[in-house]
Amino acid sequence: MKNIKAISLGLLPLLSGMAMGQNVQKQPNLVVIFCDDLGYGDIGCFGNPTIKTPNIDRMASEGMKLTQFYVGAAVSTPSRSALLTGRLPVRNGMYGERNHVLFPDSKAGLGQDEITMAKVLKENGYATACVGKWHLGAFSPYLPTDHGFDSYFGIPYSNDMGTGRMGRAQNYPPTPLLENNLRIESNPDQGEITRRYTEKAVGFIKDQKAGKPFFLYFAHTFPHVPLYTNDRFRGTSKRGLYGDVVEEIDWSVGLVLKTLEECGLDENTLVIFTSDNGPWLTQKENGGTAGSLRDGKGTWWEGGFRVPAIARMPGKIPASLSSEIMTSMDIMPTFLALAGIALPKGVALDGVDQRGLLFERQASARDEVFYWWGSDLMAVRKGAWKLYFKTIYDMYLPSMKIVDCEVPELYNLETDISERFNKSAAQPQIVAQLVEVANRHKQAMVIKAPVCDLREEFKQ
Ligand code: MG
């Protein structure tokens, strides 16, 4: 009885449209392809000179290339939580003061009181799948299948968190590969993981061909280090192994788009391609590049928070370049609005509906960006201007040194993309205005306790 009721409710918009004799548009399919540590300058259409990404470039030429797109944090766990909940990490608890991401010995994950877009879409009749890196909790009740996804296949945290890898603790378990909530392999061959993820993602799309609308969250493990690829891609790029790995991701994007076309789903599917944070610069040649942007992952310079982004829906999203401001947190309210689904009641969202920007080329629904690190608001952007309250002395030091700005530093991101020229002395009124924006934002913020600090080693 319960199932029949759910099906009836899911068909309601369709049936009511048919009754009125309208040309019924099925609810759109929704896909997010989320890379790990892919920098602003790492793909061809964002200016990389030696990494070939013809499929992603084609996606950009057919859709909207977003040159001022931001994530909710400059590292993995909080950024992913922001994408999926539409809320800043400081609001949803997925941050830490000592640990900025979850580790294999973390004691918790994204709380059941947080509502993901997958959960809302599933409750409203969507088929939902998560493929790839999760990093919001590696055991129940924190897994994708506990947060609104019908299925999951992937490595649940970063690929450098296995036994003894990258100087990590020797007592960490071997890197797990999960199917739903079961570990199906330990230490899977990472050279084959992009191919296996892609097969799962494509299989899911094919399964949905004639069924209900779907949401696919495809979160690549790469190009996060350690880098792996296979014989088909090794040595194919002038950029070395990093380039080979990105070129395999490009192949994967091409196959997802081709599958949508072959299934006749192309024009009713919105695909967003982006990254969880900027490039891991301290990995040298094994890390990416932020192009013209300053610094990278783990910093609140633009290279940490601003990532490449493309939105494609043929015939609906105009082929164009947009320098309007959008964030990953805007994806949830935009998706729900497109699907005709109400936002969750009583939940404070940091994302805004960006249908006007994507589909009508209107101005962005936001002109502000907030750059948090832990529970500190480090910088704020309004319009062209960005003001820093704290900055980083030298990110290449073994322990990153955060310093208070004696006088906040002010940069114009439209005339000075690389943040080289501090204008605070010349623009006191702009400084005062941005201080006011930051104060208003902080005063209204309800800060949640930090989940990422809950680890075995910190147990009292
Ligand atoms: Mg990352």
Side-chain angles (χ1 to χ4, degrees):
M1 190 63 198
K2 215 173 174 183
N3 286 343
I4 292 167
K5 192 180 170 195
I7 291 165
S8 307
L9 286 173
L11 290 173
L12 210 56
L14 188 69
L15 293 172
S16 59
M18 283 164 74
M20 292 167 72
Q22 295 167 348
N23 185 13
V24 175
Q25 177 63 60
K26 205 180 152 199
Q27 284 172 298
N29 305 307
L30 306 163
V31 177
V32 175
I33 301 174
F34 210 50
C35 299
D36 195 355
D37 295 1
L38 183 80
Y40 192 76
D42 281 332
I43 50 180
C45 56
F46 274 78
N48 193 284
T50 50
I51 302 177
K52 293 196 184 79
T53 52
N55 293 297
I56 299 169
D57 299 351
R58 178 171 72 93
M59 184 182 170
S61 69
E62 293 170 350
M64 184 177 281
K65 183 168 102 169
L66 293 148
T67 60
Q68 304 212 59
F69 185 91
Y70 291 89
V71 284
V75 285
S76 177
T77 296
S79 173
R80 285 154 205 274
S81 75
L83 166 73
L84 289 174
T85 65
R87 288 153 60 81
L88 281 162
V90 72
R91 206 188 285 282
N92 67 33
M94 295 309 290
Y95 68 97
E97 308 296 5
R98 294 167 298 205
N99 306 280
H100 297 289
V101 299
L102 295 178
F103 288 88
D105 54 5
S106 292
K107 299 291 284 175
L110 183 66
Q112 277 297 316
D113 55 335
E114 292 294 327
I115 300 172
T116 68
M117 61 173 137
K119 185 168 188 240
V120 183
L121 289 164
K122 180 181 164 75
E123 284 173 356
N124 285 275
Y126 271 66
T128 55
C130 175
V131 176
K133 178 175 174 179
W134 174 242
H135 217 183
L136 295 175
F139 55 93
S140 269
Y142 308 112
L143 288 168
T145 46
D146 300 308
H147 275 295
F149 289 100
D150 296 326
S151 64
Y152 174 57
F153 177 84
I155 296 171
Y157 39 73
S158 299
N159 65 329
D160 63 342
M161 292 178 173
T163 315
R165 279 187 186 274
M166 305 283 295
R168 304 284 190 201
Q170 294 295 327
N171 59 353
Y172 281 175
T175 305
L177 179 67
L178 303 190
E179 177 115 51
N180 298 325
N181 58 355
L182 289 177
R183 174 192 288 254
I184 57 166
E185 285 175 40
S186 293
N187 280 336
D189 177 356
Q190 292 198 25
E192 297 299 331
I193 211 72
T194 297
R195 176 187 61 78
R196 293 177 72 184
Y197 284 176
T198 305
E199 285 170 2
K200 279 282 175 191
V202 162
F204 171 75
I205 293 169
K206 287 179 177 168
D207 286 348
Q208 310 309 317
K209 191 175 171 185
K212 41 189 187 177
F214 64 81
F215 169 47
L216 169 63
Y217 172 44
F218 184 177
H220 281 280
T221 279
F222 297 116
H224 192 285
V225 294
L227 301 169
Y228 291 95
T229 184
N230 51 52
D231 289 343
R232 290 201 300 139
F233 291 93
R234 197 176 298 109
T236 57
S237 160
K238 284 185 178 174
R239 171 61 174 80
L241 182 56
Y242 186 87
D244 300 345
V245 167
V246 174
E247 291 188 4
E248 188 176 10
I249 290 173
D250 178 73
W251 160 81
S252 170
V253 171
L255 200 59
V256 168
L257 295 181
K258 185 165 165 253
T259 305
L260 290 169
E261 285 159 21
E262 286 173 356
C263 291
L265 299 169
D266 206 26
E267 293 189 356
N268 197 35
T269 304
L270 170 55
V271 184
I272 293 181
F273 172 90
T274 188
S275 178
D276 70 333
N277 50 251
W280 201 350
L281 297 178
T282 53
Q283 299 296 321
K284 301 176 183 163
E285 286 93 336
N286 284 334
T289 173
S292 307
L293 305 180
R294 184 165 173 177
D295 268 323
K297 172 177 177 171
T299 81
W300 41 102
W301 296 108
E302 287 293 288
F305 271 73
R306 201 197 296 190
V307 288
I310 302 163
R312 176 185 182 269
M313 193 170 187
K316 312 273 190 340
I317 292 180
S320 54
L321 181 147
S322 174
S323 57
E324 293 290 310
I325 298 171
M326 182 170 167
T327 79
S328 63
M329 290 167 286
D330 301 341
I331 292 176
M332 176 172 170
T334 304
F335 276 8
L336 295 184
L338 272 178
I341 299 168
L343 294 172
K345 283 201 180 76
V347 178
L349 289 183
D350 294 289
V352 290
D353 175 4
Q354 294 283 19
R355 281 176 300 167
L357 161 58
L358 294 179
F359 294 88
E360 310 292 337
R361 298 205 65 177
Q362 293 171 4
S364 174
R366 69 159 68 243
D367 68 347
E368 295 173 353
V369 180
F370 300 97
Y371 305 71
W372 290 82
W373 181 250
S375 61
D376 265 344
L377 182 64
M378 300 305 206
V380 59
R381 175 177 185 175
K382 185 172 180 62
W385 295 97
K386 180 175 176 184
L387 188 71
Y388 285 81
F389 304 105
K390 293 185 183 182
T391 186
I392 302 157
Y393 175 66
D394 185 349
M395 67 172 291
Y396 292 96
L397 288 173
S399 179
M400 196 171 81
K401 211 168 173 181
I402 296 171
V403 289
D404 286 306
C405 302
E406 272 180 41
V407 177
E409 293 183 17
L410 181 71
Y411 297 91
N412 184 317
L413 296 178
E414 291 179 355
T415 58
D416 176 21
I417 186 175
S418 303
E419 302 175 272
R420 292 183 296 165
F421 313 116
N422 179 6
K423 298 288 184 187
S424 60
Q427 299 284 354
Q429 285 177 322
I430 302 283
V431 171
Q433 190 193 3
L434 267 70
V435 167
E436 174 62 29
V437 169
N439 286 341
R440 187 169 18 90
H441 175 71
K442 282 196 286 190
Q443 279 159 16
M445 178 57 65
V446 179
I447 293 180
K448 208 167 184 176
V451 171
C452 294
D453 286 335
L454 304 172
R455 292 177 68 184
E456 289 284 4
E457 66 192 73
F458 292 116
K459 207 171 164 186
Q460 298 298 314

